[in-house]
Amino acid sequence: MKREQSKKYRQLQKLRIVSQLAFFAIFFFLFIKTHYGGADYLTITVERFFHFDPLLALTTTIGARLFFAAFWLSVVTLVFTLIFGRVVCGWICPFGAVHQFFSFLFKKTRWLKPKRDDSLSLAPKYIILIAVMIASFFAVNLVGYLDPLSFLYRSFAVYFTPFLNMAFSESASLAYSLGLESLGQTIGQALGNVALNSFFQNALVIGLLFFTAIALNAWKERFWCRYLCPAGALLGLFSRFNVFKLKIDPEKCINCHLCSIQCETNARPFPIGEWRSSECIYCETCAAICPTAAITFPLKWKAEKIQGVNLSRRKLLLTSLTTLFIAPIFKITPHRQRAYPALIRPPGALPEEKFLDKCIKCGECMKVCPTNGLQPALTEAGPEGLWTPVLVPRIGYCEYYCSLCSQVCPTGAIKELTIEEKTTVKIGTAFVNKNRCLPYALGQQCIVCEEHCPVSPKAIQLVKVETLTPEGKIATNLAPFVNVNDCIGCGICENKCVVVDEPAIRVSSIGEKRSEKNRLLLQVNTQNDSQE
Amino acid sequence: MERRDFIKGLLIGSLAAGISPRLLAQSGYPELAVVTGESPEKITRGAVELIGGMKRFIGRGDRVIIKPNIGWDRTPDMAACTNPEMVKTVVTMSLEAGAKEVIVMDHTINQPKRCYIRSGIQEAAQSAGAKVLLPDDQRLKKVNLKGEWLKEWEVFVDFLEADKIINMPATKVHSLSKVTLGMKNWLGAVGGSRNQLHQRIDEAMVDLAAFFKPALTILDSYRILFRNGPQGGRISDTRLMKTVVAGTDPVAIDAYGATFFDFKPQELLFLQLAASRGLGKLDLEKVRIEKRTV
């Protein structure tokens, strides 16, 4: 018998790799483009990938009971999957490409040795999917933690961007120390233009999770895609027709098991009749690797009975019930009852409940924030709000003429604002700590906060303050007094305060425009006054 | 135009007669040129020509650095930064005078790129052929300022490496130093914890002014910020003066600039300190000022 691999499918396999590279390149290009490029409004939709994700569309729509228009695009993915199967997972998904790439490396290094008849259940991802969906019915948004695009983007924003920044600034300093002045300067200017954010709280956890997800590929090929990915599971449920159906020519097949051993997602192309169409991502590995070219994917329109994953009704029911009891745990938190001072949301953020329903913790806003001020929350927002964006003015303030975070939010958790609208959005209020403020506490002149206050008239006004010094003298200085009605809570005062460790002027969330409860001074309606 | 031609003629004539421009400066040129007019470009040119032309300050092959105020993420009509047309004009004039390279940079307060773009200065300066550099922390160097209060501080090497510095401040009020003009502008040439300098701002300004010795200072008073300084925020915080003040005496220039806000120069602490350290003339009555309208 003639032993020869199929040329056609080897070509197709190469094409698939090219497609993965191309889509990853697009993803990365859009990622890098998510920054202030010199115009107030971004000209390309850098968050576009997310809109094609049906899992995000479903969960955020169910959770918030609100449909975000851009998610219509996810219908494209669904229809495509319905007809062709999970091609998106194998050919397009950038996180899938990352896993594929590392699986390949681990195979080459022999850390990953695929076994014959791997029986590890592929069901967990369906269980995760059900849990995530049911949670969203209770308006608990868990999808962001495990959605592949969210996971990848967040890891890139919080870990990879600082890494790039470090790498480039270190090479600049190396260039300077080698006397390569102009090279150092070129790198420095490029860094200044791209402004890579370099400090993130929680980067350790987010970074380590990313590496764990990658390291798991050394155990099982495309571990994430096989066992964890809820988006893949959803597409699996929708891969109904799979018009290109795997077919093994029994005449040619030599029962070598190679196709099933090397299958990226353990879709069992062999034995004949056991192919799990809902697991197949059309990577074409089996057809390309088959030593006798016995495997083909001919066009066949008929819907077939899905050789799915063994997921009994009992398991489904138990999962659903468990989630039903677990989901509310996230809501048993005082954060729901009362506002938290450090929970300063980006301008345009919806009221907290709606915000939590919609935010997928992808990190787009953190990537685009020009001052690095938007940070992944740890405890600020309660258990539901882990890794949602909060402004930490000590790290970076909210630029007055910037609404970029509101432009890149893929789910509308941050409502898109024009620059004019943004400058009127109050996100918090600054308060002076007179025990630490230089004029008040030390009798020293300063006024740095007043100088930086961006609103006109300034929200920080100056008053003359007399401080008794130990020498018995009275030091008279100008000291800050916050006019809370004018303060928008941008936090530049806190950021620039000379008392760097525990600033003498701090912003807290009180007075934020989006909340009806977190208010301070009772506003008198001036319009009514003038009418009377 | 007649005046410009006259000045040019004078300069060419004097060169022909073998008199060095420097000598002429001491004899003929005013110490301060105050030129008013509609066009930022024309008044800038007019002022520089009135005090002897750019060639008096910039030599052939010089590496020039221009220090405008690009501190804030504000449009030109907010008067928080230096007028971009004026920066452009000074870049052009420097290159016309034979400068090999003209750098424009400032250590901004808001994100640098935002300030460079919204102020219009990056585009204007680049279009005239300048190299516009973002401040780069790796190019900071601790230097001995030999100041009375500030002994050592980090300075951008770009200012140290240049052959000639041109100071191009904006004209604004400030809650601590009362006004921010030429001397305060040097806070944008240094790094470090600049917010600490406010603790003795007047001394810091004078120490920095004594360290940076600009060949020329061109004060942009086209639109001045009289309220909510130093960044304003509303056009109503500004006032059109349509004026440029040029000169080499940093004290006289700031003294003159202070009068736009009806301050008496003698009232301002940093000017007193600067004058007592011999950095320039505080008493405007003793300064040869020439005013023109173009």
Side-chain angles (χ1 to χ4, degrees):
Chain A
M1 190 182 210
K2 196 178 117 193
R3 283 207 171 193
E4 202 182 359
Q5 290 175 331
S6 160
K7 264 196 195 128
K8 178 187 157 193
Y9 284 102
R10 286 183 69 80
Q11 292 293 331
L12 212 55
Q13 190 188 27
K14 274 182 198 145
L15 194 66
R16 184 258 302 167
I17 294 169
V18 171
S19 163
Q20 284 179 298
L21 282 171
F23 278 101
F24 184 82
I26 297 170
F27 179 84
F28 194 70
F29 171 76
L30 292 179
F31 175 78
I32 291 295
K33 277 282 171 192
T34 311
H35 78 115
Y36 173 71
D40 286 337
Y41 300 99
L42 293 172
T43 45
I44 43 176
T45 317
V46 291
E47 72 280 18
R48 190 53 98 200
F49 263 87
F50 291 95
H51 298 149
F52 284 99
D53 185 334
L55 178 67
L56 294 177
L58 268 174
T59 46
T60 55
T61 307
I62 294 168
R65 281 81 171 154
L66 266 177
F67 185 73
F68 186 61
F71 275 132
W72 278 118
L73 288 170
S74 67
V75 175
V76 175
T77 311
L78 280 185
V79 172
F80 188 81
T81 307
L82 204 62
I83 300 168
F84 296 102
R86 283 172 61 189
V87 177
V88 169
C89 297
W91 290 58
I92 292 170
C93 177
F95 202 23
V98 169
H99 290 299
Q100 185 53 48
F101 176 68
F102 280 98
S103 298
F104 167 78
L105 286 187
F106 292 150
K107 270 189 195 173
K108 287 281 167 202
T109 53
R110 302 216 166 255
W111 282 336
L112 172 63
K113 292 179 201 143
K115 282 187 307 209
R116 196 175 136 166
D117 297 325
D118 193 326
S119 58
L120 193 65
S121 169
L122 300 171
K125 63 175 173 292
Y126 292 96
I127 292 174
I128 289 171
L129 172 67
I130 288 158
V132 164
M133 297 292 283
I134 296 216
S136 74
F137 274 104
F138 288 92
V140 176
N141 188 332
L142 299 180
V143 69
Y145 301 111
L146 285 166
D147 175 82
L149 296 177
S150 260
F151 194 102
L152 181 64
Y153 202 100
R154 179 174 59 242
S155 308
F156 269 38
V158 173
Y159 150 73
F160 195 61
T161 314
F163 168 80
L164 276 182
N165 187 49
M166 259 183 244
F168 280 113
S169 44
E170 286 303 315
S171 30
S173 101
L174 186 70
Y176 277 121
S177 62
L178 293 174
L180 303 166
E181 187 94 353
S182 62
L183 178 66
Q185 204 172 3
T186 310
I187 299 172
Q189 290 300 309
L191 274 178
N193 265 306
V194 181
L196 300 168
N197 290 334
S198 34
F199 306 102
F200 285 103
Q201 55 188 35
N202 284 313
L204 179 71
V205 179
I206 290 168
L208 286 180
L209 272 175
F210 180 64
F211 279 104
T212 309
I214 283 178
L216 284 167
N217 289 309
W219 179 25
K220 303 283 180 192
E221 185 160 12
R222 287 185 79 138
F223 185 95
W224 172 281
C225 315
R226 280 189 189 186
Y227 308 108
L228 299 177
C229 185
L234 182 68
L235 294 186
L237 296 182
F238 272 84
S239 58
R240 189 72 188 81
F241 288 98
N242 292 60
V243 292
F244 295 107
K245 291 190 179 63
L246 179 128
K247 188 182 160 208
I248 299 184
D249 185 347
E251 302 282 304
K252 288 186 183 172
C253 180
I254 53 170
N255 300 341
C256 68
H257 286 262
L258 205 56
C259 52
S260 272
I261 293 170
Q262 296 297 337
C263 176
E264 289 183 8
T265 53
N266 200 10
R268 283 183 83 75
F270 182 87
I272 293 171
E274 287 198 19
W275 179 54
R276 301 153 167 160
S277 59
S278 61
E279 296 299 312
C280 179
I281 57 167
Y282 293 87
C283 66
E284 312 299 337
T285 303
C286 55
I289 206 171
C290 178
T292 59
I295 302 177
T296 51
F297 283 90
L299 188 72
K300 198 173 159 197
W301 272 100
K302 210 182 108 213
E304 249 182 326
K305 179 177 172 282
I306 300 175
Q307 283 287 352
V309 171
N310 181 20
L311 200 66
S312 70
R313 241 173 248 168
R314 283 183 196 165
K315 279 182 189 156
L316 287 181
L317 196 65
L318 185 64
T319 308
S320 311
L321 281 173
T322 313
T323 316
L324 230 124
F325 279 95
I326 289 178
I329 294 180
F330 288 86
K331 300 204 169 203
I332 308 171
T333 158
H335 282 80
R336 289 238 159 211
Q337 194 253 341
R338 194 161 180 155
Y340 266 61
L343 186 56
I344 306 164
R345 290 292 190 197
L350 300 180
E352 187 62 11
E353 283 204 20
K354 279 273 175 276
F355 180 82
L356 287 172
D357 294 339
K358 290 201 138 201
C359 175
I360 54 166
K361 302 99 182 163
C362 62
E364 284 266 358
C365 53
M366 301 169 205
K367 170 72 180 74
V368 84
C369 180
T371 66
N372 204 169
L374 285 182
Q375 296 279 323
L378 183 59
T379 57
E380 294 91 333
E384 294 172 273
L386 181 70
W387 301 342
T388 54
V390 288
L391 183 77
V392 182
R394 286 180 71 242
I395 302 173
Y397 61 93
C398 185
E399 278 283 6
Y400 189 60
Y401 288 126
C402 174
S403 73
L404 290 173
C405 57
S406 82
Q407 295 171 39
V408 301
C409 180
T411 64
I414 309 173
K415 185 176 161 279
E416 190 159 352
L417 300 174
T418 64
I419 305 294
E420 292 71 35
E421 287 166 344
K422 186 264 161 175
T423 56
T424 65
V425 175
K426 183 177 173 70
I427 57 174
T429 307
F431 281 85
V432 178
N433 180 349
K434 292 184 182 178
N435 290 323
R436 295 175 73 83
C437 179
L438 267 55
Y440 288 107
L442 308 178
Q444 272 268 7
Q445 71 174 13
C446 183
I447 72 112
V448 169
C449 52
E450 184 259 5
E451 181 178 358
H452 286 87
C453 180
V455 297
S456 179
K458 285 179 187 294
I460 299 178
Q461 293 292 321
L462 295 172
V463 290
K464 273 206 175 116
V465 165
E466 294 182 338
T467 309
L468 185 63
T469 65
E471 294 83 32
K473 289 179 188 160
I474 287 173
T476 309
N477 283 294
L478 292 171
F481 181 98
V482 179
N483 185 344
V484 295
N485 289 334
D486 290 335
C487 177
I488 54 169
C490 71
I492 194 171
C493 49
E494 177 175 340
N495 186 264
K496 305 285 182 181
C497 178
V498 71
V499 194
V500 286
D501 63 338
E502 170 65 48
I505 184 161
R506 296 207 64 178
V507 175
S508 66
S509 66
I510 187 85
E512 52 179 341
K513 192 180 181 182
R514 67 188 185 120
S515 166
E516 282 178 6
K517 285 199 239 160
N518 194 16
R519 290 293 164 89
L520 184 62
L521 298 183
L522 186 63
Q523 291 288 321
V524 180
N525 194 330
T526 46
Q527 265 186 337
N528 285 352
D529 280 358
S530 61
Q531 276 166 8
E532 275 159 17
Chain B
M1 282 311 280
E2 281 167 36
R3 189 176 310 107
R4 253 165 76 180
D5 292 343
F6 169 74
I7 295 160
K8 268 186 195 158
L10 191 73
L11 194 71
I12 293 161
S14 62
L15 283 169
I19 307 162
S20 89
R22 190 168 296 273
L23 206 71
L24 195 72
Q26 282 162 0
S27 52
Y29 297 128
E31 286 167 286
L32 283 189
V34 180
V35 177
T36 306
E38 288 301 318
S39 154
E41 187 202 338
K42 281 184 186 158
I43 57 177
T44 309
R45 280 199 177 267
V48 174
E49 276 160 17
L50 200 55
I51 49 166
M54 199 54 110
K55 284 206 169 125
R56 185 185 152 198
F57 310 103
I58 305 297
R60 189 154 288 281
D62 272 348
R63 293 181 63 195
V64 178
I65 188 162
I66 298 173
K67 165 66 177 79
N69 189 330
I70 327 178
W72 308 94
D73 182 19
R74 293 282 202 226
T75 48
D77 54 2
M78 300 287 183
C81 303
T82 307
N83 183 300
E85 274 183 74
M86 287 187 187
V87 178
K88 183 178 175 174
T89 308
V90 175
V91 173
T92 308
M93 291 177 85
S94 303
L95 290 170
E96 284 167 359
K100 186 174 75 183
E101 181 185 59
V102 180
I103 290 171
V104 174
M105 79 171 268
D106 187 19
H107 189 190
T108 65
I109 290 145
N110 296 121
Q111 194 204 9
K113 198 174 172 183
R114 303 186 81 82
C115 304
Y116 275 46
I117 289 171
R118 203 178 304 276
S119 68
I121 290 175
Q122 175 167 299
E123 199 188 340
Q126 277 173 347
S127 73
K131 195 167 150 188
V132 179
L133 293 180
L134 294 164
D136 177 358
D137 281 356
Q138 298 215 21
R139 295 178 66 74
L140 283 169
K141 193 179 156 192
K142 204 164 239 182
V143 293
N144 189 354
L145 293 178
K146 296 183 183 128
E148 284 186 1
W149 181 50
L150 286 180
K151 301 298 176 201
E152 263 197 337
W153 205 263
E154 287 182 331
V155 174
F156 284 99
V157 291
D158 308 84
F159 290 93
L160 306 173
E161 286 169 355
D163 299 315
K164 300 282 164 59
I165 303 177
I166 299 178
N167 192 13
M168 288 197 71
T171 308
K172 306 186 283 182
V173 289
H174 188 271
S175 298
L176 221 47
S177 56
K178 307 282 192 241
V179 287
T180 153
L181 303 159
M183 293 170 130
K184 173 95 178 17
N185 206 26
W186 295 122
L187 271 80
V190 303
S193 311
R194 292 190 289 170
N195 50 8
Q196 288 179 299
L197 298 178
H198 283 64
Q199 290 156 28
R200 288 164 86 169
I201 189 95
D202 300 279
E203 283 148 272
M205 284 159 68
V206 175
D207 281 346
L208 289 171
F211 176 77
F212 293 100
K213 293 193 176 62
L216 174 64
T217 301
I218 300 167
L219 177 67
D220 157 26
S221 304
Y222 193 81
R223 193 181 271 280
I224 68 170
L225 184 71
F226 68 91
R227 190 169 66 192
N228 221 47
Q231 56 169 323
R234 288 177 299 177
I235 293 176
S236 58
D237 295 333
T238 71
R239 188 180 293 137
L240 271 171
M241 298 301 291
K242 298 181 181 174
T243 302
V244 161
V245 185
T248 52
D249 180 335
V251 183
I253 286 178
D254 281 13
Y256 194 93
T259 62
F260 287 123
F261 305 107
D262 298 328
F263 284 114
K264 286 197 179 70
Q266 286 80 359
E267 292 171 350
L268 302 176
L269 180 58
F270 75 92
L271 284 177
Q272 291 171 21
L273 291 171
S276 67
R277 278 174 61 181
L279 295 185
K281 291 183 187 173
L282 174 61
D283 189 353
L284 287 173
E285 295 196 348
K286 290 177 185 161
V287 178
R288 288 198 314 280
I289 303 172
E290 197 156 333
K291 295 185 187 180
R292 292 279 166 86
T293 306
V294 295

